[in-house]
């Protein structure tokens, strides 16, 4: 058995053509206002320029700047791979559960706890320097840690497993994270293979002990959490502790049941866990508000702290009474639907969202891309998000600069995408008057005054599923 690491790990977003050119340079474009309150007179019209071109013609000159999205960092790649690994474990346990239920349906009689040989206790320590936990089934190692590593606070026996291979139990594999000094445990063969193939910082240490992939009489779930900011996992067999961590330790992401450990007194499954909501926003400058655009230029259309995504992050905690509900904003000024589709898999893997708000298409419209191409990107985002179990919302910022017919057609495209994918459509700019109080001169970017209305529209769309 490897003695626990003692080091503390380091971890580390216009007036006529000049305004159009500014947006093209920033490559950070966004939406509009509601049809009910709209006044198209504030929108940029298709009027002739001195050169003889119209502004719509001029946009075509900037159809594609050639800029691509920033590549994910090494840390983001690792987090995404760990997200895939956790999902593989959940899927394998779910398949085992369904198979076990099919077998049970063919057998009558009262189930009784099976006796296993080689039962041992797993002991738990808290590293007071890093906040990570260490687990061992070795009494000798337990005693050595107590005697020689004072920074490790002994918390006592955590759960029971077996060191002996036998019918009804499967091997639990242990990996050592060489970057953090913390272990990862899995019973999933698919997760084991994925880690070995994609996460070289996780050193395979072999079989730690044996447990079950299914519950039932004589078994209780061992729950698994992951802390992204520190890069380590936490395990508990107590559903009371599980609920406390979910409710109060917001830095930890609940990953479900790791596997089932032995408990002769267990007869029923514990109460289901409350799942914190993770709302991921995939948008452009209308969702980012300020920052650095896709081409690396800094921009600011909304005051820091007043963007609807920022205020939603607070509202989702206070209005639900769950302080660990959160918003993850991956929006980038200038991002198109095809670019969002190219990154959605990594974002879903990394952040494990329960809800995905797709607020893209404005940059496609600026660049005169077809509605059919927008649909391709939006459909791809739906497929990936829904395959991971996320609810998807299509957010429309009504696009004014190309006139009423174009705006209505674009809205119809969004509604069709939502209907085809059985997701939810809503108009994010509903109720925002199309005046200079709420819109910048481009008739696209929303000012500070519009942000509370947008946030409320998003809240009302999310509310039924929060």
């Amino acid at each position: 058995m490897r003695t626990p690491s003692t080091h503390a790990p380091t971890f580390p977003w216009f007036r006529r053509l000049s305004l159009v050119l500014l947006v093209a340079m920033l490559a950070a474009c966004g939406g509009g206002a509601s049809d009910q309150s709209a006044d198209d007179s504030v929108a940029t019209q298709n009027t002739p320029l001195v050169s003889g071109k119209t502004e719509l013609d001029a946009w075509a000159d900037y159809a594609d700047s050639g800029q691509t999205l920033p590549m994910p960092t090494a840390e983001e790649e690792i987090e995404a791979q760990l997200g895939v690994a956790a999902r593989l474990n959940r899927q394998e346990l779910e398949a085992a559960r369904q198979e076990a239920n099919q077998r049970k349906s063919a057998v009558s009689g009262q189930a009784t706890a099976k006796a296993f040989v080689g039962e041992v206790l797993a002991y738990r320590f808290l590293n007071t320097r890093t906040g990570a936990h260490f687990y061992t089934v070795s009494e000798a190692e337990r005693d050595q840690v107590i005697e020689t590593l004072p920074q490790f606070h002994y918390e006592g026996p955590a759960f029971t497993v077996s060191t002996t291979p036998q019918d009804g139990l499967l091997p639990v594999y242990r990996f050592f994270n060489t970057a953090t000094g913390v272990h990862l445990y899995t019973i999933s063969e698919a997760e084991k293979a994925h880690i070995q193939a994609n996460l070289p910082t996780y050193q395979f240490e072999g079989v730690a002990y044996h447990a079950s992939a299914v519950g039932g009489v004589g078994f209780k779930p061992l729950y698994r959490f992951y802390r992204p900011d520190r890069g380590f996992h936490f395990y508990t067999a107590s559903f009371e502790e599980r609920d406390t961590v979910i409710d109060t330790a917001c830095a930890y992401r609940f990953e479900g049941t790791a596997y089932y450990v032995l408990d002769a007194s267990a007869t029923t499954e514990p109460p289901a866990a409350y799942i914190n909501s993770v709302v991921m926003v995939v948008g452009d400058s209308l969702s980012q508000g300020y920052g650095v655009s896709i081409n690396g230029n800094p921009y600011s259309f909304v005051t820091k702290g007043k963007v609807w995504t920022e205020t939603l992050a607070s509202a989702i905690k206070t209005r639900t009474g769950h302080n660990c509900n959160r918003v993850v904003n991956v929006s980038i000024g200038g991002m198109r639907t095809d670019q969002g589709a190219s990154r959605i898999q990594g974002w879903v893997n990394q952040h494990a969202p329960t809800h995905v708000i797709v607020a893209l298409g404005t940059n496609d419209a600026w660049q005169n891309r077809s509605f059919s191409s927008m649909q391709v990107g939006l459909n791809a985002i739906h497929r990936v998000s829904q395959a991971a179990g996320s609810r998807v919302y299509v957010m429309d910022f009504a696009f004014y600069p190309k006139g009423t017919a174009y705006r209505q057609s674009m809205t119809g495209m969004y509604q069709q995408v939502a209907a085809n994918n059985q997701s939810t459509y809503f108009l994010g700019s509903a109720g925002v008057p199309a005046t200079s109080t709420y819109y910048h001169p481009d008739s696209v970017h929303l000012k500070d005054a519009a942000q509370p209305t947008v946030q409320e529209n998003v809240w009302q769309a999310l509310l039924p599923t929060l």
Side-chain angles (χ1 to χ4, degrees):
M1 306 289 282
R2 182 188 295 270
T3 300
S5 172
T6 60
H7 75 282
T10 55
F11 306 95
W13 188 358
F14 314 88
R15 300 158 179 63
R16 303 304 178 203
L17 183 59
S18 62
L19 295 169
V20 175
L21 291 173
L22 175 60
V23 173
M25 288 171 61
L26 293 177
C29 305
S34 71
D35 285 338
Q36 291 83 356
S37 61
D39 177 0
D40 284 354
S41 65
V42 304
T44 303
Q45 300 298 318
N46 194 23
T47 52
L49 302 170
V50 175
S51 64
K53 284 187 175 183
T54 66
E55 289 184 4
L56 295 187
D57 293 329
W59 291 337
D61 293 337
Y62 302 93
D64 188 349
S65 66
Q67 297 293 338
T68 58
L69 290 183
M71 293 298 293
T73 66
E75 291 77 12
E76 289 170 337
E77 292 278 18
I78 291 172
E79 294 303 310
Q81 294 296 345
L82 285 169
V84 174
R87 188 159 63 243
L88 289 170
N89 183 72
R90 290 193 297 272
Q91 291 171 346
E92 196 162 320
L93 261 62
E94 175 60 20
R97 184 192 66 81
Q98 293 181 8
E99 182 181 348
N101 286 342
Q102 291 174 354
R103 291 198 303 266
K104 286 179 183 178
S105 65
V107 178
S108 60
Q110 181 67 37
T112 57
K114 180 180 178 179
F116 293 100
V117 299
E119 293 189 12
V120 295
L121 292 170
Y123 305 101
R124 193 172 93 177
F125 291 83
L126 170 67
N127 185 333
T128 58
R129 293 180 182 173
T130 67
H133 284 81
F134 171 70
Y135 306 81
T136 180
V137 295
S138 165
E139 292 183 357
E141 187 175 37
R142 175 201 63 187
D143 294 342
Q144 181 185 18
V145 172
I146 291 173
E147 292 174 6
T148 63
L149 298 174
Q151 71 271 31
F152 281 82
H153 172 66
Y154 179 56
E155 295 185 334
F159 49 85
T160 301
V161 290
S162 175
T163 56
T164 306
Q166 57 202 288
D167 290 342
L169 299 182
L170 295 174
V172 173
Y173 304 106
R174 187 166 100 160
F175 289 85
F176 179 71
N177 185 343
T178 58
T180 64
V182 182
H183 292 93
L184 181 155
Y185 297 83
T186 182
I187 202 169
S188 164
E189 294 290 342
E191 182 177 28
K192 167 180 170 285
H194 180 82
I195 293 172
Q196 289 178 305
N198 297 283
L199 291 164
T201 58
Y202 282 78
Q203 180 179 317
F204 182 58
E205 295 188 329
V207 176
Y209 44 76
H210 295 78
S212 177
V214 295
V217 176
F219 296 102
K220 65 180 179 180
L222 182 72
Y223 304 105
R224 169 170 151 174
F225 292 82
Y226 177 64
R227 183 165 177 173
D229 64 329
R230 298 286 183 87
F232 55 65
H233 290 79
F234 167 72
Y235 304 84
T236 179
S238 164
F239 73 85
E240 295 93 348
E241 185 175 38
R242 172 202 69 185
D243 292 346
T244 298
V245 174
I246 289 173
D247 196 46
T248 63
C250 303
Y252 286 86
R253 181 173 68 224
F254 181 54
E255 294 189 329
T257 298
Y259 41 87
Y260 291 83
V261 294
L262 311 181
D263 184 350
S265 66
T267 58
T268 59
E269 191 82 8
Y274 168 83
I275 305 300
N276 287 315
S277 294
V278 179
V279 178
M280 187 171 76
V281 183
V282 185
D284 47 39
S285 57
L286 287 163
S287 304
Q288 191 181 25
Y290 61 89
V292 179
S293 68
I294 190 173
N295 59 7
N297 291 332
Y299 75 96
S300 179
F301 289 107
V302 185
T303 303
K304 184 177 182 179
K306 294 187 177 182
V307 186
W308 67 266
T309 45
E310 294 174 320
T311 58
L312 179 66
S314 297
I316 200 174
K317 301 174 187 287
T318 57
R319 293 191 185 187
T320 62
H322 291 280
N323 194 51
C324 293
N325 286 343
R326 62 194 181 98
V327 172
V328 175
N329 189 7
V330 298
S331 303
I332 304 174
M335 182 160 64
R336 298 188 309 260
T337 54
D338 61 312
Q339 293 167 325
S342 73
R343 289 288 298 277
I344 187 63
Q345 185 71 71
W347 287 328
V348 166
N349 291 342
Q350 179 180 353
H351 300 294
T354 56
H355 303 69
V356 173
I357 298 175
V358 189
L360 291 171
T362 300
N363 288 289
D364 301 68
W366 278 124
Q367 298 177 11
N368 291 332
R369 289 175 175 256
S370 67
F371 289 152
S372 60
S373 70
M374 297 184 206
Q375 288 177 304
V376 170
L378 294 170
N379 286 334
I381 293 171
H382 274 80
R383 285 193 299 272
V384 171
S385 302
Q386 291 173 334
S390 305
R391 295 179 179 269
V392 182
Y393 300 76
V394 179
M395 185 175 183
D396 178 4
F397 284 101
F399 189 80
Y400 283 105
K402 294 187 180 183
T404 300
Y406 185 94
R407 180 179 74 253
Q408 291 176 344
S409 295
M410 191 168 179
T411 290
M413 179 272 295
Y414 283 132
Q415 292 171 334
Q416 189 63 54
V417 167
N420 290 346
N421 291 281
Q422 298 182 308
S423 62
T424 301
Y425 164 87
F426 70 98
L427 183 58
S429 53
V432 178
T435 68
S436 61
T437 300
Y438 299 95
Y439 278 87
H440 286 280
D442 62 1
S443 304
V444 170
H445 289 95
L446 295 157
K447 294 182 176 179
D448 290 7
Q451 302 301 311
T453 300
V454 176
Q455 185 228 280
E456 190 61 29
N457 291 335
V458 177
W459 173 257
Q460 292 301 324
L462 291 172
L463 186 58
T465 59
L466 290 177

